[in-house]
């Protein structure tokens, strides 16, 4: 049983509770689900040790732990089965449609008997949804437009879900005696925000032995296919393709299977111009070959053991996988203008984090200590200010923030690193920042993020207003998207980046793997305009500091160099940015 299976069940539980208007509990189930999904241990094994073991997982309380144990032991959760009987729908698929939440699903079922995505699409096309009171033609149109997005979202995994599995399988195959080099390839090596499947490439003279070991990987739930040099398994809901090649052709295969297809096409065309042929077996001079297509290895072999051997005959460097996107990287290389990309070690602190004062799970002291543990020079405490889109009592009032300032001051006196205090304020539908200017003026740092009206479509003006606000230092998760779940705002990043440059406001790369917002394309616009960038984890617990790598690699997809990124500065450098 996969952790993903248990996590999906908890999400469904949350949705069914929400459909019945239950408060608070749904969010607890959702948070638990995400921590179960990516927990390094199999939750099944933990369940065998009892409820207490399961409750060790971050955000999993006793009640949820007991439901998980019930599922592992009996194959079902009684309470969930009852909820399903009352609302027998494909909740996961339906709620993937933008603008369709669990309560809408309940209404659609009660009014029209809709249970699946196909039925929803049909009802929208036949104009039956607008007939429901409170829905209207605009809602129906939205649903019709968003069904395709929802279908696609079901087929791709978030990077943050697939990447830890990829790391694990890579470590596992590297330990196999018959394996020489091993690397991931494909979209996972390019750190794309969603992943179709994980590609693993191994250099070995003994394919069958490697395939045997791979299909015995303990985390593999089932073997999809297994041949002499290739195999595919499924693990925690992710398909993993393994390919074994001889060492002399490893670089060629790695270059080929890393992609992207468009990057490879661009490079291959350069090769053709030079009378060369490159493919997954190597790079060849085919000027004396009559029929080069007859044999994939025909011609004079120029290289293929390493990626460098593949690119070098073309006068090209080994491109960082993140920028192999055919967005000008080949021309930049020929012009000697490739960026010197940001690295994780360049990041010296986090600008956006939460504590138990709002919806985080840990104290100010604990979060500061964890930041120091990461080797950071400073830490920023930015809990939610009350405002539109901040649920329940998670948002702090002005008085709360002032009280927290005193608490931060006490921690600051004992801390080994610099501590900055601020808030994550809210941008309303019109672009106003809803916290009072008086309070914002007292704080070291102000993040402003959209949390409400995330389905309004085009929102560039709204965000431009926010970055131009005199007290705002960082625009948090600009589009508000949730990968595979919510498309978020439509933003013209070129225009936003210009405004951010003029105002001296940083555009955030929110490194939470559900967000990766701004994405690589947004970062690229910021870099081109010269706008400052902030890489933030938005950590709600110490373990989430680890997300920084997703932020760094996303920024690299947008060609970010250390100088583009505010939090590569030391504490004094950050202070001068915030004061500027
Ligand atoms: P994914 O898995 O959908 O997230 O994206 P990729 O890029 O990992 O794609 P995948 O797994 O289908 O193939 C891995 C790489 O192999 C891809 O990036 C480029 C290369 N590749 C696969 N099929 C073709 C092809 O038909 N033509 C070319 N030129 N390259 C291919
Ligand atoms: Ca792939
Ligand atoms: Ca593949
Ligand atoms: Zn936040």
């Amino acid at each position: 049983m996969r952790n993903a299976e248990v996590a999906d069940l908890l999400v469904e539980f949350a949705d069914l509770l929400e459909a019945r208007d239950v408060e608070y509990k749904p969010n607890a189930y959702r948070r638990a689900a995400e921590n179960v999904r990516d927990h390094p241990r199999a939750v099944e094994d933990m369940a065998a040790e009892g409820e207490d073991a399961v409750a060790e997982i971050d955000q999993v309380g006793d009640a949820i732990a007991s439901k998980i144990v019930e599922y592992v032991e009996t194959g079902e959760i009684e309470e969930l089965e009852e909820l399903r009987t009352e609302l027998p729908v494909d909740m996961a698929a339906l709620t993937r449609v933008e603008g369709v939440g669990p309560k809408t699903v309940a209404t659609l079922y009660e009014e029209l008997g809709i249970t699946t995505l196909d039925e929803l699409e049909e009802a929208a096309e036949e104009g039956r949804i607008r007939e429901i009171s409170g829905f209207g033609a605009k809602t129906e149109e939205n649903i019709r437009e968003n069904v395709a997005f929802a279908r696609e979202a079901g087929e791709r995994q978030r990077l943050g879900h697939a990447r830890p599995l990829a790391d694990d399988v890579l470590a596992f195959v590297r330990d196999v005696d018959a394996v020489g080099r091993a690397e991931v390839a494909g979209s996972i090596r390019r750190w794309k925000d969603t992943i179709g499947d994980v590609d693993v490439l191994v250099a070995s003279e003994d394919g069958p032995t490697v395939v045997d070991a791979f299909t015995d990987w303990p985390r593999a739930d089932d073997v999809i296919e297994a041949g002499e040099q290739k195999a595919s398994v499924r693990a925690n809901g992710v398909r993993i393709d393994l390919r074994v090649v001889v060492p002399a052709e490893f670089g060629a295969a790695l270059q080929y299977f890393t992609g992207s297809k468009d990057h490879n096409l661009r490079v291959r065309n350069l090769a053709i111009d030079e009378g060369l042929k490159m493919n997954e077996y190597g790079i060849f001079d085919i000027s004396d070959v009559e029929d080069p297509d007859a044999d994939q290895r025909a011609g004079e072999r120029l290289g293929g053991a390493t990626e460098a051997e593949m690119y070098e005959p073309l006068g090209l460097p080994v491109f960082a996988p993140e920028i192999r996107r055919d967005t000008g990287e080949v021309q930049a290389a020929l012009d000697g203008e490739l960026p010197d990309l940001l690295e994780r070690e360049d990041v010296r602190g986090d600008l956006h984090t939460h504590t138990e004062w709002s919806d985080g799970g840990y104290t100010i002291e604990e979060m500061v200590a964890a930041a120091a543990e990461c080797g950071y020079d400073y830490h920023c405490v930015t809990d939610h200010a009350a405002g539109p889109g901040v649920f329940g009592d998670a948002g702090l009032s002005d008085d709360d923030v002032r009280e927290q300032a005193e608490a931060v001051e006490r921690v600051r006196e004992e801390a080994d690193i610099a501590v900055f205090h601020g808030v994550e304020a809210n941008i309303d539908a019109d672009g106003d920042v809803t916290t009072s200017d008086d309070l914002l003026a007292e704080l070291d740092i102000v993040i402003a993020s959209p949390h409400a009206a995330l389905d309004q479509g085009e929102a560039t003006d709204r965000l431009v207003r926010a970055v131009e606000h005199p007290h705002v230092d960082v625009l948090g998760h600009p589009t508000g998207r949730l990968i595979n779940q919510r498309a978020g705002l439509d933003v013209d990043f070129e225009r936003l980046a210009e405004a951010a440059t003029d105002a001296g406001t940083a555009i955030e790369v929110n490194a939470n793997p559900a967000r990766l917002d701004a994405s690589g394309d947004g970062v690229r616009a910021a870099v081109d305009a010269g706008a400052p960038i902030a890489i933030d984890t938005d950590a709600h617990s110490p373990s989430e500091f680890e997300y920084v790598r997703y932020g760094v690699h996303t920024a690299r997809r947008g060609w970010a160099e250390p100088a583009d990124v505010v939090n590569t500065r030391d504490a004094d450098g950050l202070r001068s940015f915030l004061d500027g």
Side-chain angles (χ1 to χ4, degrees):
M1 181 187 308
R2 315 155 184 154
N3 288 9
E5 178 184 331
V6 176
D8 288 344
L9 221 60
L10 296 176
V11 170
E12 187 188 350
F13 212 132
D15 287 344
L16 288 167
L17 289 170
E18 195 175 323
R20 303 186 49 162
D21 266 330
V22 178
E23 278 196 282
Y24 303 117
K25 228 166 132 182
N27 278 334
Y29 273 80
R30 277 188 239 287
R31 281 195 296 269
E34 290 326 302
N35 285 294
V36 165
R37 188 181 307 279
D38 295 320
H39 196 78
R41 279 193 70 199
V43 72
E44 190 177 18
D45 297 343
M46 300 175 81
E49 293 164 19
E51 274 173 41
D52 290 350
V54 178
E56 291 285 303
I57 300 173
D58 226 11
Q59 309 268 15
V60 175
D62 295 341
I64 296 178
S66 102
K67 298 242 168 11
I68 293 174
V69 171
E70 180 187 346
Y71 181 66
V72 171
E73 284 177 354
T74 69
E76 59 176 44
I77 301 171
E78 200 183 321
E79 196 184 332
L80 177 65
E81 293 304 321
E82 284 166 16
L83 291 167
R84 277 175 171 169
T85 311
E86 286 170 35
L87 189 55
V89 298
D90 185 350
M91 187 58 102
L94 291 168
T95 52
R96 252 183 242 123
V97 179
E98 172 97 47
V100 175
K103 284 178 205 158
T104 308
V105 171
T107 309
L108 290 166
Y109 174 71
E110 285 154 18
E111 299 289 328
L112 302 174
I114 290 171
T115 63
T116 66
L117 215 48
D118 287 342
E119 287 168 7
L120 178 66
E121 184 167 41
E122 203 180 294
E125 309 228 302
E126 290 171 0
R128 282 186 279 134
I129 290 172
R130 68 179 74 191
E131 305 297 327
I132 307 173
S133 94
F135 276 62
K138 186 155 178 283
T139 309
E140 183 176 86
E141 178 65 18
N142 277 342
I143 288 176
R144 226 160 41 77
E145 282 176 4
N146 290 319
V147 165
F149 176 89
R151 279 220 177 80
E152 223 170 89
E155 287 158 17
R156 300 186 65 82
Q157 301 279 353
R158 289 175 180 167
L159 171 67
H161 177 56
R163 187 72 217 192
L165 278 166
D167 293 338
D168 254 29
V169 76
L170 199 53
F172 178 79
V173 296
R174 279 177 177 161
D175 246 12
V176 175
D177 280 343
V179 170
R181 286 190 64 189
E183 297 289 348
V184 289
S187 53
I188 195 102
R189 186 168 182 235
R190 304 195 312 274
W191 296 82
K192 196 168 150 55
D193 46 17
T194 63
I195 303 297
D197 62 21
V198 170
D199 301 284
V200 180
L201 204 63
V202 159
S204 174
E205 302 284 0
D206 183 358
T209 300
V210 177
V211 165
D212 276 352
F214 173 68
T215 53
D216 284 343
W217 179 41
R219 294 191 72 179
D221 298 304
D222 35 50
V223 176
I224 301 164
E225 56 195 343
E228 301 255 301
Q229 309 291 330
K230 273 166 53 166
S232 299
V233 301
R234 200 172 298 280
N236 215 0
V238 180
R239 179 188 168 113
I240 304 181
D241 288 347
L242 171 92
R243 209 177 300 259
V244 184
V245 301
V246 294
E249 295 178 348
F250 183 76
L254 184 57
Q255 198 283 326
Y256 180 89
F257 289 108
T258 295
S260 68
K261 273 183 203 170
D262 292 337
H263 168 86
N264 286 354
L265 192 63
R266 179 79 53 186
V267 175
R268 206 167 335 124
N269 285 337
L270 267 186
I272 291 166
D273 292 344
E274 304 283 322
L276 306 177
K277 173 171 177 162
M278 63 192 300
N279 57 28
E280 59 185 287
Y281 309 108
I283 182 161
F284 307 90
D285 184 338
I286 51 166
S287 37
D288 295 332
V289 181
E290 256 174 48
D291 180 7
D293 291 333
D295 176 1
Q296 291 297 305
R297 295 177 176 88
E300 184 197 347
R301 183 188 173 78
L302 304 180
T306 64
E307 284 197 302
E309 288 182 12
M310 295 298 290
Y311 283 115
E312 201 208 62
L314 304 170
L316 295 174
V318 177
F319 293 87
E322 296 94 326
I323 67 167
R324 298 186 196 180
R325 306 175 61 203
D326 191 31
T327 56
E329 72 279 8
V330 173
Q331 192 57 47
L334 295 171
D335 296 342
E337 282 171 2
L338 275 184
D340 197 357
L341 297 176
L342 175 77
E343 315 238 1
R344 178 174 175 161
E345 291 67 38
D346 296 324
V347 175
R348 304 179 73 161
D350 207 315
L351 305 193
H352 178 174
T353 69
H354 296 270
T355 72
E356 62 181 10
W357 282 70
S358 65
D359 58 352
Y362 295 79
T363 64
I364 300 167
E365 290 93 325
E366 285 167 325
M367 294 302 282
V368 171
E373 189 86 350
C374 290
Y376 286 157
D377 292 349
Y378 54 85
H379 179 71
C380 300
V381 179
T382 57
D383 276 309
H384 287 286
V390 176
F391 295 108
D393 54 6
L396 305 187
S397 68
D398 288 10
D399 285 346
D400 293 337
V401 175
R402 290 192 171 102
E403 191 187 327
Q404 189 188 41
E406 289 168 22
V408 168
E409 182 53 37
R410 288 191 292 276
V411 173
R412 192 179 274 144
E413 282 161 13
E414 305 292 320
D416 298 328
I417 58 174
V419 183
F420 295 86
H421 179 233
V423 287
E424 179 178 14
N426 305 290
I427 303 169
D428 74 11
D430 304 320
D432 284 319
V433 174
T434 62
T435 305
S436 75
D437 285 357
D438 289 350
L439 178 64
L440 296 181
E442 294 168 25
L443 301 171
D444 302 324
I445 177 166
V446 175
I447 317 267
S449 313
H451 291 111
L454 295 172
D455 55 1
Q456 71 181 174
E458 165 58 38
T460 311
D461 287 340
R462 172 185 182 185
L463 297 184
V464 165
R465 283 200 67 195
V467 302
E468 288 176 345
H469 188 293
H471 293 308
V472 171
D473 302 299
V474 179
L475 172 64
H477 51 71
T479 74
R481 75 165 176 170
L482 289 176
I483 297 172
N484 282 354
Q485 209 172 309
R486 178 170 75 205
L489 303 171
D490 292 337
V491 181
D492 173 352
F493 268 92
E494 277 176 36
R495 194 150 72 76
L496 178 65
E498 268 169 40
T501 307
D502 292 343
T505 302
I507 293 179
E508 180 177 84
V509 178
N510 192 297
N512 185 301
R515 295 188 180 275
L516 301 182
D517 180 17
S519 68
D521 291 337
V523 171
R524 183 67 179 279
V527 167
D528 286 348
I533 292 162
I535 314 273
D536 296 333
T537 64
D538 201 353
H540 286 64
S541 67
S543 64
E544 292 176 5
F545 279 119
E546 274 301 304
Y547 292 160
V548 68
R549 66 175 178 154
Y550 300 119
V552 167
H553 288 286
T554 297
R556 286 165 62 90
R557 285 173 65 77
W559 296 36
E561 301 190 300
D564 298 317
V565 176
V566 175
N567 39 345
T568 62
R569 304 183 183 198
D570 61 13
D572 286 339
L574 176 62
R575 203 168 281 120
S576 69
F577 170 77
L578 296 173
D579 291 346

